[in-house]
Amino acid sequence: MKGLVYHGAKDIRYESHEDPKLAADTDVIVKVEACSICGSDLHIYHGQGFSADTGFCVGHESVGEIVESGRAVRRLKVGDKVMLSAAVGCGMCGPCMAGKTELCRTGGLACYGLSSRLGGGQAEAIRVPMADI
């Protein structure tokens, strides 16, 4: 797939990148239709990143269509249109169940496009962990 890949301060390139793959039965793959650029992306571009990683697609706050679904996903199906928030939690602790992933108690918190931990939405597709939440 093609995506905006971070290579260091002021070096984000539109290039080929590895296609996202389901990593767990609770994941989906979303074909990205649009993704915003926000202040976090600009911080990364200027070298004030959130990790020392390079080689990851940037971007969060995406919208798109589910094109692949893990076996344990129950609320969503292939063909559904979805909007992704910036953060993903474990999906099981109290705060996550209440929609407050920023307070995830298990350390499952990650944000799209801030490091290699979870690829971003400035790409043709994105893996969404814990898709039912």
Side-chain angles (χ1 to χ4, degrees), residues 21 29 31 43 62 79 91 111 117 125 128:
K21 294 175 180 56
I29 303 296
K31 177 183 175 190
H43 289 302
S62 305
C111 286
R117 183 174 177 201
V128 177

Side-chain angles (χ1 to χ4, degrees), residues 24-98:
D25 289 340
T26 53
D27 293 353
V28 297
I29 303 296
V30 173
K31 177 183 175 190
V32 176
E33 296 174 0
C35 184
S36 64
I37 295 175
C38 73
S40 301
D41 298 314
L42 297 176
H43 289 302
I44 291 169
Y45 175 76
H46 289 290
Q48 303 160 354
F50 298 87
S51 81
D53 293 350
T54 60
F56 60 89
C57 289
V58 297
H60 38 273
E61 292 123 357
S62 305
V63 295
E65 180 179 333
I66 296 175
V67 295
E68 189 176 354
S69 179
R71 293 179 293 175
V73 177
R74 300 286 178 245
R75 293 181 52 219
L76 302 166
K77 64 185 181 313
V78 171
D80 283 352
K81 300 284 187 169
V82 294
M83 178 176 75
L84 310 177
S85 65
V88 175
C90 73
M92 297 182 199
C93 70
C96 284
M97 295 295 284

Side-chain angles (χ1 to χ4, degrees), residues 91-111:
M92 297 182 199
C93 70
C96 284
M97 295 295 284
K100 298 181 181 206
T101 56
E102 73 279 5
L103 301 175
C104 181
R105 290 186 189 140
T106 68
L109 179 67
C111 286

